[in-house]
Tab-separated table of all heavy atoms in Angstrom:
chain	number	residue	atom	x	y	z
K	58	HIS	N	10.491	-4.675	1.866
K	58	HIS	CA	9.616	-4.938	0.671
K	58	HIS	C	9.228	-6.333	0.846
K	58	HIS	O	9.809	-7.348	1.283
K	58	HIS	CB	10.131	-4.583	-0.516
K	58	HIS	CG	11.497	-5.310	-0.872
K	58	HIS	ND1	11.430	-6.475	-1.595
K	58	HIS	CD2	12.794	-5.202	-0.502
K	58	HIS	CE1	12.623	-6.995	-1.656
K	58	HIS	NE2	13.446	-6.194	-1.075
K	59	TRP	N	7.974	-6.743	0.312
K	59	TRP	CA	7.525	-8.066	0.346
K	59	TRP	C	6.405	-8.247	-0.759
K	59	TRP	O	5.923	-7.376	-1.155
K	59	TRP	CB	7.040	-8.487	1.736
K	59	TRP	CG	5.654	-7.832	2.106
K	59	TRP	CD1	4.359	-8.337	1.976
K	59	TRP	CD2	5.598	-6.473	2.686
K	59	TRP	NE1	3.554	-7.355	2.477
K	59	TRP	CE2	4.185	-6.331	2.910
K	59	TRP	CE3	6.419	-5.535	3.049
K	59	TRP	CZ2	3.700	-5.022	3.534
K	59	TRP	CZ3	5.969	-4.244	3.614
K	59	TRP	CH2	4.571	-4.040	3.861
K	60	THR	N	6.317	-9.508	-1.058
K	60	THR	CA	5.286	-9.851	-2.117
K	60	THR	C	4.002	-10.233	-1.358
K	60	THR	O	3.921	-11.130	-0.603
K	60	THR	CB	5.717	-11.173	-2.856
K	60	THR	OG1	7.021	-10.797	-3.681
K	60	THR	CG2	4.566	-11.469	-3.935
K	61	ALA	N	2.948	-9.378	-1.688
K	61	ALA	CA	1.717	-9.423	-0.822
K	61	ALA	C	0.602	-10.194	-1.671
K	61	ALA	O	-0.178	-10.986	-1.126
K	61	ALA	CB	1.228	-8.045	-0.606
K	62	HIS	N	0.671	-9.957	-3.105
K	62	HIS	CA	-0.540	-10.529	-3.927
K	62	HIS	C	0.095	-10.825	-5.315
K	62	HIS	O	1.284	-10.524	-5.552
K	62	HIS	CB	-1.570	-9.661	-3.959
K	62	HIS	CG	-2.202	-9.125	-2.737
K	62	HIS	ND1	-3.279	-9.846	-2.088
K	62	HIS	CD2	-2.024	-8.057	-1.834
K	62	HIS	CE1	-3.570	-9.270	-0.965
K	62	HIS	NE2	-2.799	-8.148	-0.767
K	63	ASP	N	-0.732	-11.254	-6.282
K	63	ASP	CA	-0.330	-11.339	-7.684
K	63	ASP	C	-0.313	-9.948	-8.211
K	63	ASP	O	0.698	-9.538	-9.046
K	63	ASP	CB	-1.325	-12.203	-8.426
K	63	ASP	CG	-1.365	-13.687	-8.121
K	63	ASP	OD1	-0.315	-14.085	-7.564
K	63	ASP	OD2	-2.271	-14.282	-8.220
K	64	SER	N	-1.108	-9.029	-7.811
K	64	SER	CA	-1.204	-7.672	-8.086
K	64	SER	C	-1.815	-6.811	-6.982
K	64	SER	O	-2.934	-7.323	-6.518
K	64	SER	CB	-1.979	-7.336	-9.458
K	64	SER	OG	-1.824	-6.102	-9.837
K	65	VAL	N	-1.283	-5.720	-6.673
K	65	VAL	CA	-1.756	-5.001	-5.514
K	65	VAL	C	-2.698	-3.813	-6.036
K	65	VAL	O	-2.341	-3.073	-6.855
K	65	VAL	CB	-0.567	-4.308	-4.675
K	65	VAL	CG1	-1.212	-3.587	-3.429
K	65	VAL	CG2	0.288	-5.424	-4.245
K	66	LEU	N	-3.843	-3.741	-5.423
K	66	LEU	CA	-4.861	-2.653	-5.769
K	66	LEU	C	-4.703	-1.560	-4.670
K	66	LEU	O	-4.818	-0.287	-4.990
K	66	LEU	CB	-6.298	-3.160	-5.727
K	66	LEU	CG	-6.898	-3.803	-6.915
K	66	LEU	CD1	-8.251	-4.309	-6.603
K	66	LEU	CD2	-6.864	-2.807	-8.062
K	67	GLN	N	-4.391	-1.839	-3.383
K	67	GLN	CA	-4.526	-0.785	-2.359
K	67	GLN	C	-3.630	-1.142	-1.313
K	67	GLN	O	-3.440	-2.387	-1.024
K	67	GLN	CB	-6.012	-0.664	-1.854
K	67	GLN	CG	-6.131	0.299	-0.750
K	67	GLN	CD	-6.001	1.646	-1.126
K	67	GLN	OE1	-5.033	2.171	-1.686
K	67	GLN	NE2	-7.114	2.526	-0.923
K	68	VAL	N	-3.006	-0.191	-0.509
K	68	VAL	CA	-2.145	-0.432	0.594
K	68	VAL	C	-2.607	0.721	1.617
K	68	VAL	O	-2.726	1.793	1.084
K	68	VAL	CB	-0.640	-0.353	0.336
K	68	VAL	CG1	-0.241	0.846	-0.265
K	68	VAL	CG2	0.144	-0.687	1.488
K	69	ALA	N	-2.714	0.357	2.799
K	69	ALA	CA	-3.315	1.284	3.813
K	69	ALA	C	-2.920	0.918	5.196
K	69	ALA	O	-3.021	-0.184	5.623
K	69	ALA	CB	-4.847	1.249	3.645
K	70	ARG	N	-2.512	1.963	5.904
K	70	ARG	CA	-2.127	1.807	7.323
K	70	ARG	C	-3.492	1.775	8.203
K	70	ARG	O	-4.413	2.448	7.825
K	70	ARG	CB	-1.249	2.905	7.789
K	70	ARG	CG	-1.098	2.779	9.326
K	70	ARG	CD	0.092	1.912	9.839
K	70	ARG	NE	1.368	2.612	9.538
K	70	ARG	CZ	2.531	2.222	10.128
K	70	ARG	NH1	2.482	1.303	11.139
K	70	ARG	NH2	3.679	2.779	9.805
K	71	ILE	N	-3.575	0.876	9.199
K	71	ILE	CA	-4.732	0.846	10.025
K	71	ILE	C	-4.636	1.708	11.266
K	71	ILE	O	-3.968	1.519	12.185
K	71	ILE	CB	-5.121	-0.542	10.589
K	71	ILE	CG1	-5.222	-1.464	9.432
K	71	ILE	CG2	-6.268	-0.453	11.380
K	71	ILE	CD1	-5.469	-2.929	9.830
K	72	GLY	N	-5.149	3.045	11.002
K	72	GLY	CA	-5.007	3.946	12.157
K	72	GLY	C	-3.656	4.267	12.583
K	72	GLY	O	-2.737	4.394	11.702
K	73	THR	N	-3.266	4.295	13.847
K	73	THR	CA	-1.927	4.584	14.342
K	73	THR	C	-1.376	3.324	14.797
K	73	THR	O	-0.340	3.288	15.469
K	73	THR	CB	-1.959	5.567	15.472
K	73	THR	OG1	-2.848	5.069	16.478
K	73	THR	CG2	-2.442	6.916	15.057
K	74	SER	N	-1.898	2.158	14.337
K	74	SER	CA	-1.246	0.884	14.683
K	74	SER	C	-0.088	0.485	13.817
K	74	SER	O	0.349	1.193	12.827
K	74	SER	CB	-2.421	-0.221	14.588
K	74	SER	OG	-2.637	-0.569	13.175
K	75	GLN	N	0.467	-0.644	14.068
K	75	GLN	CA	1.648	-1.193	13.234
K	75	GLN	C	1.107	-2.121	12.106
K	75	GLN	O	1.891	-2.825	11.518
K	75	GLN	CB	2.653	-1.869	14.098
K	75	GLN	CG	3.518	-0.886	14.936
K	75	GLN	CD	4.370	-0.119	14.117
K	75	GLN	OE1	5.010	-0.405	13.116
K	75	GLN	NE2	4.431	1.277	14.444
K	76	HIS	N	-0.280	-2.151	12.113
K	76	HIS	CA	-0.826	-3.030	10.986
K	76	HIS	C	-1.047	-2.256	9.705
K	76	HIS	O	-1.554	-1.155	9.666
K	76	HIS	CB	-2.015	-3.699	11.413
K	76	HIS	CG	-1.765	-4.666	12.510
K	76	HIS	ND1	-2.837	-5.289	13.177
K	76	HIS	CD2	-0.665	-5.176	13.029
K	76	HIS	CE1	-2.363	-6.168	14.057
K	76	HIS	NE2	-1.062	-6.159	13.952
K	77	VAL	N	-0.739	-3.023	8.496
K	77	VAL	CA	-1.133	-2.432	7.173
K	77	VAL	C	-1.887	-3.419	6.500
K	77	VAL	O	-1.743	-4.606	6.519
K	77	VAL	CB	0.331	-2.351	6.445
K	77	VAL	CG1	0.121	-2.081	4.980
K	77	VAL	CG2	1.195	-1.175	6.953
K	78	VAL	N	-2.918	-2.846	5.757
K	78	VAL	CA	-3.884	-3.670	4.771
K	78	VAL	C	-3.320	-3.610	3.437
K	78	VAL	O	-3.074	-2.475	2.977
K	78	VAL	CB	-5.332	-3.127	4.946
K	78	VAL	CG1	-6.081	-3.731	3.850
K	78	VAL	CG2	-5.742	-3.421	6.379
K	79	THR	N	-3.300	-4.719	2.847
K	79	THR	CA	-3.098	-4.729	1.316
K	79	THR	C	-4.248	-5.462	0.665
K	79	THR	O	-4.805	-6.479	1.160
K	79	THR	CB	-1.750	-5.507	1.011
K	79	THR	OG1	-1.912	-6.728	1.405
K	79	THR	CG2	-0.560	-4.675	1.559
K	80	GLN	N	-4.668	-4.987	-0.429
K	80	GLN	CA	-5.677	-5.618	-1.221
K	80	GLN	C	-5.240	-6.069	-2.617
K	80	GLN	O	-4.464	-5.278	-3.297
K	80	GLN	CB	-6.852	-4.651	-1.501
K	80	GLN	CG	-8.057	-5.118	-2.317
K	80	GLN	CD	-8.964	-3.989	-2.665
K	80	GLN	OE1	-8.695	-2.805	-2.628
K	80	GLN	NE2	-10.055	-4.274	-3.309
Side-chain angles (χ1 to χ4, degrees):
H58 63 91
W59 69 98
T60 300
H62 305 272
D63 293 335
S64 181
V65 182
L66 273 178
Q67 180 72 300
V68 59
R70 173 85 76 156
I71 303 175
T73 56
S74 73
Q75 286 294 316
H76 286 176
V77 168
V78 167
T79 62
Q80 176 193 11

